[in-house]
Amino acid sequence: MTVPRVVLFDLDDTLFSHRDAVAAGILLHLDRVGGAFASGDRTAATVLWNALEEEHYHSYLAGDLDFAGQRRARAQDFAASFRIALTDAEADLWFDEYFESYRSSWRLHDDALPCIDELAEMIPGVRFGLITNGDPVFQGEKIRRVGLADRFEHVVTSGALGFAKPDARIFEHACALFDVPVESAVYVGDRLRTDALGAAAAGLTGVWLDRAGASAVGPADTDDAARLGVLRIDTLTRLPGLFAALPKA
């Protein structure tokens, strides 16, 4: 491994504090809606909302639901747990109102910008990019709102390409935009299989950001990580240290 020419990041829960915004947003929304939604177990509601996001967002990434459809399904399934049936129109409105609460909670992780700044100082000429699974308009709004728009030379979204991480093509496409070989690029993300293993299998250096041991992984994943040389960090402040003593390409 040599000093990278390009450092690519995942967005949600790597730079952008998505899970915290989701948790704060759903509780704020339930308080605003009131009634049965505000009187239930708040911890259970947060856990359920997170689980439904995982389920339906992956249905969107797989092409089984469109972007609006996965939002509608999340709202309907969540309301059903309170024995409330929402029509499609009601579910769309319910989710739109939740989204305002979620958006009001958007922020970066505290270590995001310091990490990028330190890398830029430590590696002269290093270039930065993003690869994110999601809708380009939605992800673009996040990037602008949290002040990342001027930080990245290229932003690659699965919604624009038609294939998603961990598909090797999305990593290869990003490296082609920078006109660098895959071995000259590093990819940093919070999901071991989707991010770090996907990148490493495509030939990049995969870095797994395992914040506070939050990611649940199985033995097969950890075996694959060892085989592919995936690096693990628990905070972005540790990322520059991975490259400090490396030779230049």
Side-chain angles (χ1 to χ4, degrees):
M1 179 181 171
T2 58
V3 171
R5 295 165 59 188
V6 171
V7 179
L8 302 163
F9 290 93
D10 169 55
L11 180 62
D12 292 325
D13 292 315
T14 297
L15 301 175
F16 176 82
S17 186
H18 172 67
R19 292 180 193 176
D20 290 341
V22 168
I26 190 61
L27 294 179
L28 180 59
H29 178 57
L30 296 183
D31 289 341
R32 287 175 174 172
V33 173
F37 288 115
S39 60
D41 184 319
R42 294 170 72 81
T43 299
T46 302
V47 170
L48 175 61
W49 187 243
N50 283 330
L52 291 173
E53 178 185 47
E54 286 288 308
E55 176 185 351
H56 293 304
Y57 198 73
H58 281 87
S59 294
Y60 157 69
L61 293 176
D64 298 327
L65 291 171
D66 62 18
F67 192 66
Q70 59 88 21
R71 289 179 163 189
R72 183 180 305 128
R74 285 163 63 190
Q76 288 174 326
D77 286 356
F78 185 84
S81 73
F82 290 84
R83 299 183 180 179
I84 296 171
L86 298 178
T87 66
D88 286 355
E90 289 170 339
D92 290 343
L93 178 61
W94 196 97
F95 192 95
D96 287 345
E97 291 174 347
Y98 152 75
F99 186 80
E100 291 306 311
S101 296
Y102 164 62
R103 186 164 57 178
S104 71
S105 303
W106 284 359
R107 65 176 181 85
L108 292 175
H109 281 289
D110 292 341
D111 55 6
L113 294 182
C115 172
I116 295 171
D117 290 339
E118 185 173 352
L119 287 172
E121 182 177 350
M122 188 181 77
I123 309 174
V126 70
R127 301 159 73 189
F128 297 106
L130 275 175
I131 306 176
T132 176
N133 281 351
D135 176 79
V137 175
F138 178 45
Q139 298 298 75
E141 182 182 1
K142 288 184 195 173
I143 290 165
R144 289 188 297 274
R145 283 282 298 270
V146 296
L148 288 177
D150 296 331
R151 293 282 184 154
F152 299 104
E153 191 171 333
H154 297 291
V155 174
V156 175
T157 66
S158 64
L161 290 180
F163 42 84
K165 298 176 296 181
D167 192 313
R169 291 175 295 172
I170 199 167
F171 300 104
E172 293 164 350
H173 175 79
C175 291
L177 289 176
F178 283 94
D179 194 25
V180 299
V182 291
E183 59 268 20
S184 294
V186 167
Y187 186 74
V188 185
D190 69 293
R191 292 176 182 263
L192 177 55
R193 180 153 294 279
T194 303
D195 292 320
L197 286 174
L204 294 77
T205 297
V207 178
W208 177 32
L209 174 61
D210 184 21
R211 291 188 182 277
S215 303
V217 298
D221 288 336
T222 54
D223 289 346
D224 286 345
R227 176 176 57 83
L228 291 170
V230 166
L231 305 175
R232 178 186 172 276
I233 55 175
D234 57 8
T235 172
L236 287 176
T237 59
R238 298 187 185 277
L239 184 63
L242 297 180
F243 312 130
L246 292 176
K248 294 184 178 179

